[in-house]
Amino acid sequence: MPTDPGHAEPAPGQPEPPAHPEAPADASRAGAPVDAPRPEADADALPADRRRADAVRNRARIVAAARDALAGAAPGEELRLNAVAKAAGVGQGTLYRHFATREELLAEVHRQDVAELVDEADTLLAAYSPVEALGRWFDRLTAYARVKRGVLAALEPRAWNALTARSHGTLTEAIERLLAAGRADGSIRADVDARDVMVLIAYLSRLEESEWPTRARHLLDVLLNGLRTRP
């Protein structure tokens, strides 16, 4: 019989090799993939410190995205959580793990803004004269007040009453530190206190949205000039 050139004869005493190599055992099962890839580790499999860092970073991105959305929203426009999640680069499930409701997210935006504004008073006083520090703090206040309008518009009256009640005390204390520094060096009138400034600042809420870009900072400049001492 002629010899197949593609098939080597076995050595004497050795078994004939199979015509085709055996398929892997798993492949004999219907639908079972061969060498199926292992699923990627989920978030729970990550080290605890990595999970914490990711959670902190995601939370900060969500709050920042919500703040930007509020600052740019038209009057009466609702804050859409799916849009916030997209802008933050996270899934909606991640957003809801941090903030179960829109109200919780809005309250956190407001809380962080107040904390930053209060801390900024001391930072500015360390770098500038009292009058210049107060003027620069008013710049920060303008941005805060615009976001606050969006926060309060989106909350029920009872919720925003509780929110503003907690923030007024710390803001008043920050203003008082700025005024006290100015009174100490003679650049700020001695007959004005933080409560006076808070009452006057509250009139920013009466501005129409269309007036905000031109009038908000102008009104605070008028207030700052009124707080200065005269030669």
Side-chain angles (χ1 to χ4, degrees), residues 116 151 195:
E116 291 172 6
V151 170
R195 173 62 180 165

Side-chain angles (χ1 to χ4, degrees), residues 86-168:
K86 182 177 180 180
V90 303
Q92 291 189 53
T94 297
L95 185 149
Y96 282 108
R97 280 195 296 274
H98 287 278
F99 304 102
T101 66
R102 179 183 289 102
E103 288 71 23
E104 287 184 16
L105 175 56
L106 292 170
E108 181 63 12
V109 170
H110 186 263
R111 187 197 67 77
Q112 287 193 20
D113 281 356
V114 170
E116 291 172 6
L117 197 57
V118 169
D119 291 343
E120 194 71 15
D122 295 322
T123 301
L124 290 170
L125 280 173
Y128 302 99
S129 67
V131 169
E132 186 171 358
L134 183 57
R136 289 174 179 268
W137 193 81
F138 280 166
D139 287 336
R140 312 297 198 275
L141 181 69
T142 305
Y144 156 76
R146 187 163 196 172
V147 172
K148 180 183 174 183
R149 285 163 65 101
V151 170
L152 299 189
L155 292 175
E156 295 294 330
R158 184 171 59 182
W160 63 253
N161 278 335
L163 199 62
T164 55
R166 288 194 297 269
S167 64
H168 276 185

Side-chain angles (χ1 to χ4, degrees), residues 43-60:
D44 290 338
L46 295 173
D49 56 348
R50 168 71 181 277
R51 293 200 304 271
R52 285 193 295 270
D54 286 349
V56 169
R57 184 164 52 249
N58 286 338
R59 186 179 181 89

Side-chain angles (χ1 to χ4, degrees), residues 166-178:
R166 288 194 297 269
S167 64
H168 276 185
T170 53
L171 286 175
T172 300
E173 292 169 4
I175 293 172
E176 182 54 39
R177 292 198 296 275
L178 290 160

